[in-house]
């Protein structure tokens, strides 16, 4: 017996397709929407369509943006000699929150992962090469994730960059600030020891 | 610095307003939508609008439905002498999943809760009274939630029904099937003892 009728069932189904939303959450969200004021539901639907339609890649750094170049590439005060390479726009946002980094970014939109069928051509590596070939870039900071795919991607890009004579660095591995040594895995502990610096 | 631009920020904001979705989940959902095929994003937006616009209350039981009367009230095989009163359409769906109950329902859309400013007039109690005054109803099964608000609501409706001479019952309190006595709270244990039945 279909208790709710098809529009509700359909909305529950659409929500359940989203990542991290199970059947129960999808039901709760659908009922929330049915009970919310009409203009709020319309605002949500409109925001989905606007984000899907209005967002494109920045032609310089491949960040997701509604303006081209994006706010960071268009900001004359940033240091164009530094390019930090990240996998995802959210990684970039994370580094922006530190308020420490004043260079530019390049977003790969993924990492090399043969297991998942993602090769170098699926990433924005060509665009990075084109940027680096142009004048003024002095250092590429590899800030891909500290996992197998991220390391492989960093290594791959490092090899591509070698002939161009540009400096390629990798963000440090080590124990997270505020963490407890007891709970840090062995590989990280080894990396932290290996990367120790004089105080 | 606004890293992503306004359409993404707006979508993240809309998602973050939904129940159970925090800032991180909202960001993940927004990026998922930006990366999904255009027609899937449109299907989600359309489902939101269709559910919001196409869903109304069943004129008989006040369930949410796209057809009037709803699938259950319109089903001639159900036993019209029984009305189970629930707080929410989802409670009704839960009882439907048992495949045990063959009577009709009445959905209150909430429970009496003076703390939250919800009085009897905010609920579909008038509609229930009108149904019961008509012919043929023999028993009202109160299946409101087993908490303070649900009990108060059940008690309130029980008093209203008394002059009408209709039988009012309450679903049993007790230990949940498959549960472990050790972890059941004292009030439930007392209720289970109080409600014991001969084997």
């Amino acid at each position: 017996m279909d208790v709710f009728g098809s529009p509700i069932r359909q909305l529950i189904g659409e929500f359940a397709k989203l990542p991290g939303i199970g059947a129960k959450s999808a039901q709760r969200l659908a009922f929330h929407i049915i009970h919310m004021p009409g203009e709020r539901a319309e605002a949500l639907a409109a925001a989905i369509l606007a984000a899907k339609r209005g967002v494109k890649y920045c032609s310089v750094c491949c960040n997701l943006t509604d303006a081209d170049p994006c706010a960071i590439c268009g900001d004359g005060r940033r240091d164009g000699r530094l390019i930090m390479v990240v996998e995802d726009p959210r990684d970039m946002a994370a580094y922006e929150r530190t308020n420490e980094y004043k260079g530019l970014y390049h977003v790969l939109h993924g990492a090399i992962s043969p297991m998942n069928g993602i090769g170098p051509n699926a990433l924005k590596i060509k665009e990075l090469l084109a940027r680096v070939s142009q004048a003024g870039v002095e250092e590429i900071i590899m800030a891909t994730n500290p996992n197998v795919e991220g390391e492989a991607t960093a290594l791959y890009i490092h090899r591509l960059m070698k002939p161009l004579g540009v400096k390629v660095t990798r963000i440090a591995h080590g124990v997270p600030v505020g963490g407890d040594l007891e709970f840090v895995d062995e590989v990280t502990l080894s990396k932290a020891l290996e990367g120790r610096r004089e105080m």
Side-chain angles (χ1 to χ4, degrees), chain A:
Chain A
M1 162 83 43
D2 178 15
V3 182
F4 298 132
S6 109
I8 301 186
R9 212 184 45 235
Q10 220 154 348
L11 183 57
I12 294 174
E14 289 294 337
F15 273 127
K17 286 182 202 161
L18 297 177
I21 295 188
K24 284 265 169 187
S25 303
Q27 207 183 56
R28 196 181 55 209
L29 288 173
F31 277 93
H32 182 81
I33 279 173
I34 285 157
H35 287 299
M36 67 168 54
E39 63 279 8
R40 279 214 33 221
E42 274 158 37
L44 174 59
I48 289 170
L49 296 176
K52 185 64 209 159
R53 287 174 189 157
V55 173
K56 46 188 178 292
Y57 293 126
C58 170
S59 61
V60 182
C61 73
C62 303
N63 179 26
L64 293 171
T65 175
D66 56 332
D68 193 14
C70 74
I72 291 175
C73 292
D75 182 351
R77 290 163 303 175
R78 314 271 318 199
D79 186 348
R81 292 169 298 177
L82 294 175
I83 295 181
M84 179 183 281
V85 178
V86 293
E87 294 183 17
D88 193 280
R90 280 164 285 186
D91 301 338
M92 177 174 148
Y95 256 103
E96 278 302 289
R97 280 196 294 274
T98 67
N99 265 322
E100 286 287 335
Y101 180 67
K102 299 299 176 201
L104 300 177
Y105 292 90
H106 191 86
V107 184
L108 296 175
H109 291 281
I112 297 172
S113 173
M115 294 276 281
N116 298 311
I118 301 171
N121 290 332
L123 308 179
K124 304 286 183 192
I125 293 179
K126 276 191 308 292
E127 290 82 349
L128 176 63
L129 270 174
R131 276 179 88 181
V132 174
S133 311
Q134 288 168 7
V137 179
E138 293 179 4
E139 183 176 347
I140 305 286
I141 303 165
M142 295 303 309
T144 50
N145 285 330
N147 53 26
V148 179
E149 288 84 9
E151 296 296 347
T153 309
L155 217 65
Y156 180 86
I157 291 175
H158 170 57
R159 278 198 208 137
L160 281 183
M161 293 296 158
K162 239 182 196 166
L164 302 176
V166 68
K167 188 167 141 195
V168 181
T169 57
R170 179 87 173 102
I171 53 166
H173 292 304
V175 290
V177 178
D180 197 326
L181 275 197
E182 193 185 344
F183 303 117
V184 177
D185 65 290
E186 293 75 11
V187 182
T188 303
L189 287 176
S190 310
K191 292 273 185 189
L193 182 65
E194 194 185 306
R196 68 191 181 279
R197 299 206 291 176
E198 208 168 319
M199 296 174 64

